[in-house]
Amino acid sequence: MATATYVQKGYQIDYTPAEGVAWGQVIPFADCIGVAAETIIAGETGAVSLVGVYELPAASGVEIKTGEKVYWNKTNSNIDKTAEGGVPAGLCVMDKAASGTVAVVKIG
């Protein structure tokens, strides 16, 4: 039988970036995004949140309804509804009008 060893709660993880990261900066991973919980110097280890609700920059011209899956567009550095080429970001938790430029997203 396989066993597991508890490591941490997982709300935040340790992350060592190749380039410096500012507090609050979105960090796109392969299959999720994180938000820097502190400023992290290049090559040093810092905390990145993997859960929580955040206001994130969002694509203008896109209406997003509460509960819809959203994605991080790495090219435009914003939230949109396009899965192709995007990183899964989480769920929108507040309706965003097409004219809006901010989406409230539950990451994780």
Side-chain angles (χ1 to χ4, degrees):
M1 173 193 262
T3 62
T5 301
Y6 179 83
V7 176
Q8 63 179 348
K9 289 183 180 180
Y11 301 125
Q12 293 184 338
I13 59 169
D14 291 335
Y15 176 67
T16 306
E19 297 179 8
V21 173
W23 173 85
Q25 183 174 332
V26 175
I27 300 167
F29 295 109
D31 291 315
C32 69
I33 63 169
V35 176
E38 60 187 334
T39 298
I40 309 171
I41 296 170
E44 303 228 347
T45 301
V48 173
S49 296
L50 295 181
V51 297
V53 176
Y54 294 88
E55 289 184 343
L56 299 171
S60 182
V62 177
E63 181 180 11
I64 306 173
K65 295 291 186 186
T66 299
E68 285 190 288
K69 290 180 184 178
V70 292
Y71 301 85
W72 183 254
N73 181 314
K74 293 192 292 186
T75 301
N76 298 326
S77 296
N78 64 16
I79 291 292
D80 66 27
K81 296 193 313 186
T82 305
E84 187 175 329
V87 176
L91 296 174
C92 187
V93 296
M94 185 180 297
D95 288 352
K96 178 200 148 322
S99 62
T101 58
V102 173
V104 181
V105 177
K106 178 189 178 296
I107 67 170

